[in-house]
Amino acid sequence: MEMKNNYYIMRHGESEANVKKMIVSHPENGYTGYGLTEKGKKQARDSIQNSGLLETINVIISSPFLRTKETAAEIVSLNPNIAMSFDSLLQERNFGKFEKMDSTFYHDVWEFDKIDHHNTRNDVESPHEVSLRCENVISKYNKMFIDQNIMFVSHGDFIQIMQTVIKEMSPSDHKSIPYIDTAEIRLLKKD
């Protein structure tokens, strides 16, 4: 997939849901609840400052979940010249019936993902469906910007699957890529 900009991906900082070991993937819960902890806010600030990108990023586009919006806001608080907007295409993968359940259920989902990239057991959004959102994100921002440094602030599974799209891998192989830590930043690239 062609990329007309430098795209950086950042996972949100530690959230209240992370601390509670709870899955929060539905917009009705995640848009207004389960924001960042104080540690998560510090992680976001430290990560961008240590990356050397604070003066390089032109635009931040964030998932509209509270934890990602607060992560993006921490960065913009350090450099108000960065334009910030929100896009629901970047929101958390929907984990269906596992909403507000223990985070150990992620592993059950991931095991079925390996077998079938169309896995929708328990009403989970499949890796294939997430990969289509990822393709739409890149296509949309390729049309809006040229030669910019853009940071997407999103969620673990979305970021993992986005990397498979760029690397032209099956979305069912998203767990074969080292999992992105809270507030970690990566350059989106093919190799």
Side-chain angles (χ1 to χ4, degrees), residues 51-65:
S51 72
L53 295 171
L54 186 59
E55 301 301 324
T56 303
I57 297 298
N58 307 103
V59 179
I60 292 178
I61 299 134
S62 170
S63 155
F65 276 58

Side-chain angles (χ1 to χ4, degrees), residues 10-13 43 160 178-186:
M10 181 179 192
R11 184 176 171 206
H12 60 80
Q43 285 178 329
Q160 293 300 119
Y179 202 72
I180 191 161
D181 288 330
T182 51
E184 183 180 344
I185 299 169
R186 293 182 185 169

